[in-house]
């Protein structure tokens, strides 16, 4: 249910967000908004990768295999990242909780690690697509997927922001992790939308850079820009979020910020030590499988 809420002085009205997380049900199957946005990210990523592979005379059929690697790497990496980075004691107390993914809990830093490892495994079987070349191409659809997933987080009322009185604040009446009525009725930064906007802008920057260079893109350029922009944005936006990890409540930086710093450094190093583009592949020399 959507509505508005006035503050004490009746000067500012705040959007109340109380939408049902389930879009519709088919018997025991529940179709959630988050799942739709998550799926949309992979579908759009698949189409973008097919376009890039076609542009560079790579075997387009390889994209289907690559997608499988990416889906598995994303889900496993994001799940383990959430469990190990944010709530290790809770999950090791009962390891079966690691598998209860339907209860929620995915971490973008873990997803970044999972995608990188999956790309490495995939590239070992596709010698015409070395790891750095592949990560450059994956950076573009991953940024777009981040845009969709954060919108899904908004529909899920999760990854909530701190309380605020800015005019665009949102009251998450069914916000995950909010236990008291006062907390549920407090206006908050819709920080997941801030993050979605940032990822959308990063996607546009990366796609424009790729369109400029295409097959001549220096290896390490796109993935370097991705790490720098995504995790710099993440570092800043963490100041507006509620902290998720209980053990880090009193630390100077959140877990998300501590994990973002090394990835920004990796991005800088990738830019500094970027490599020349791969030799051009013509239609007659393109790999066929």
């Amino acid at each position: 249910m959507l509505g508005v809420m006035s503050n004490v002085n009746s000067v500012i009205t705040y959007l109340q967000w109380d939408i049902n997380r389930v879009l519709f049900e088919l018997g025991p199957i529940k179709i959630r908004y988050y799942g739709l946005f998550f799926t949309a990210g992979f579908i759009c990523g698949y189409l973008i990768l097919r376009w890039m592979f076609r542009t560079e005379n790579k075997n387009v059929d390889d994209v289907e295999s690559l997608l499988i690697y990416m889906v598995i790497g994303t889900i496993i990496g994001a799940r383990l990242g959430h469990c190990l980075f944010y709530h290790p004691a809770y999950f090791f107390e009962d390891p079966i909780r690691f598998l209860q993914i339907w209860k929620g809990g995915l971490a973008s830093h873990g997803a970044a690690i999972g995608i990188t490892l999956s790309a490495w495994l995939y590239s070992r079987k596709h010698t015409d697509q070395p790891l750095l070349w592949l990560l450059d191409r994956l950076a573009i659809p991953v940024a777009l997927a981040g845009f969709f997933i954060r919108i899904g987080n908004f529909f899920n009322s999760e990854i909530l922001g701190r309380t605020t009185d800015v005019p665009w604040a949102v009251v998450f009446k069914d916000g995950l992790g909010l236990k008291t009525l006062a907390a549920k009725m407090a206006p908050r930064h819709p920080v997941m939308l801030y993050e979605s906007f940032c990822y959308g802008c990063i996607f546009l920057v990366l796609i424009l850079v790729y369109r400029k260079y295409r097959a001549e893109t220096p290896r390490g350029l796109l993935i370097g820009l991705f790490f720098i922009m995504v995790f710099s944005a993440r570092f800043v936006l963490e100041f507006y979020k509620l902290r998720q990890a209980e053990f880090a409540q009193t630390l100077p930086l959140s877990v998300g910020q501590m994990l973002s710093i090394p990835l920004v450094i990796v991005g800088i190093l990738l830019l500094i030590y970027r490599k020349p583009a791969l030799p051009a592949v013509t239609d007659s020399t393109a790999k066929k499988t």
Side-chain angles (χ1 to χ4, degrees):
M1 176 180 179
L2 300 179
V4 295
M5 175 182 178
S6 298
N7 69 350
V8 176
N9 297 319
S10 299
V11 176
I12 301 176
T13 58
Y14 298 112
L15 172 69
Q16 292 190 63
W17 191 249
D18 191 23
I19 195 168
N20 191 338
R21 295 181 176 89
V22 178
L23 179 59
F24 60 88
E25 299 183 32
L26 296 173
I29 301 175
K30 295 182 179 181
I31 306 301
R32 302 175 184 271
Y33 286 101
Y34 179 85
L36 290 180
F37 283 109
F38 195 90
T39 303
F42 280 109
I43 292 174
C44 291
Y46 171 77
L47 296 175
I48 292 170
L49 286 169
R50 284 183 63 88
W51 167 67
M52 288 192 288
F53 272 51
R54 190 179 298 110
T55 298
E56 300 188 42
N57 290 311
K58 298 293 185 182
N59 183 12
V60 177
D61 291 339
D62 286 344
V63 177
E64 295 182 7
S65 174
L66 176 59
L67 180 65
I68 295 174
Y69 276 86
M70 292 303 102
V71 171
I72 295 174
T74 299
I75 294 175
I76 294 179
R79 180 59 177 172
L80 289 178
H82 172 78
C83 299
L84 299 177
F85 297 154
Y86 292 95
H87 308 285
Y90 173 78
F91 286 97
F92 280 112
E93 182 182 80
D94 183 6
I96 196 66
R97 293 170 177 164
F98 280 90
L99 303 177
Q100 296 173 337
I101 195 169
W102 58 88
K103 292 186 177 181
L106 300 173
S108 57
H109 294 89
I113 296 172
I115 289 171
T116 301
L117 290 176
S118 294
W120 173 70
L121 291 173
Y122 169 89
S123 66
R124 292 181 65 189
K125 297 183 177 181
H126 299 79
T127 56
D128 65 319
Q129 302 163 40
L131 179 60
L132 202 53
W133 177 93
L134 186 60
L135 289 175
D136 278 326
R137 275 72 192 164
L138 287 172
I140 297 173
V142 169
L144 183 59
F147 166 80
F148 283 115
I149 289 171
R150 283 299 181 248
I151 295 177
N153 294 139
F154 180 74
F155 276 84
N156 252 9
S157 296
E158 60 188 358
I159 311 181
L160 301 177
R162 297 179 181 272
T163 56
T164 182
D165 59 359
V166 297
W168 56 87
V170 177
V171 175
F172 294 94
K173 297 181 67 177
D174 191 27
L176 294 179
L178 301 180
K179 299 179 180 179
T180 67
L181 179 61
K184 293 179 180 180
M185 298 305 294
R188 300 178 180 278
H189 283 287
V191 70
M192 65 290 279
L193 295 184
Y194 302 168
E195 204 165 342
S196 177
F197 175 78
C198 289
Y199 294 161
C201 292
I202 292 168
F203 164 75
L204 292 176
V205 170
L206 294 176
I207 198 73
L208 289 173
V209 172
Y210 177 78
R211 284 176 63 87
K212 177 180 179 180
Y213 293 104
R214 296 185 183 254
E216 298 302 317
T217 303
R219 283 178 287 166
L221 175 61
L222 294 177
I223 188 62
L225 289 173
F226 174 88
F227 278 139
I228 292 172
M229 292 189 293
V230 165
F231 293 106
S232 292
R234 178 67 185 271
F235 184 90
V236 173
L237 292 176
E238 283 288 315
F239 287 112
Y240 298 92
K241 290 182 183 179
L242 291 178
R243 293 197 176 184
Q244 299 179 55
E246 293 183 4
F247 66 85
Q249 297 297 318
T250 59
L251 296 179
L253 297 176
S254 70
V255 172
Q257 289 172 317
M258 290 186 284
L259 292 172
S260 294
I261 292 173
L263 292 176
V264 171
I265 295 173
V266 169
I268 294 172
L269 292 175
L270 286 168
L271 284 187
I272 294 174
Y273 297 106
R274 62 185 181 274
K275 299 180 180 180
L278 291 178
V281 178
T282 63
D283 290 328
S284 60
T285 60
K287 179 183 176 183
K288 305 296 182 182
T289 58

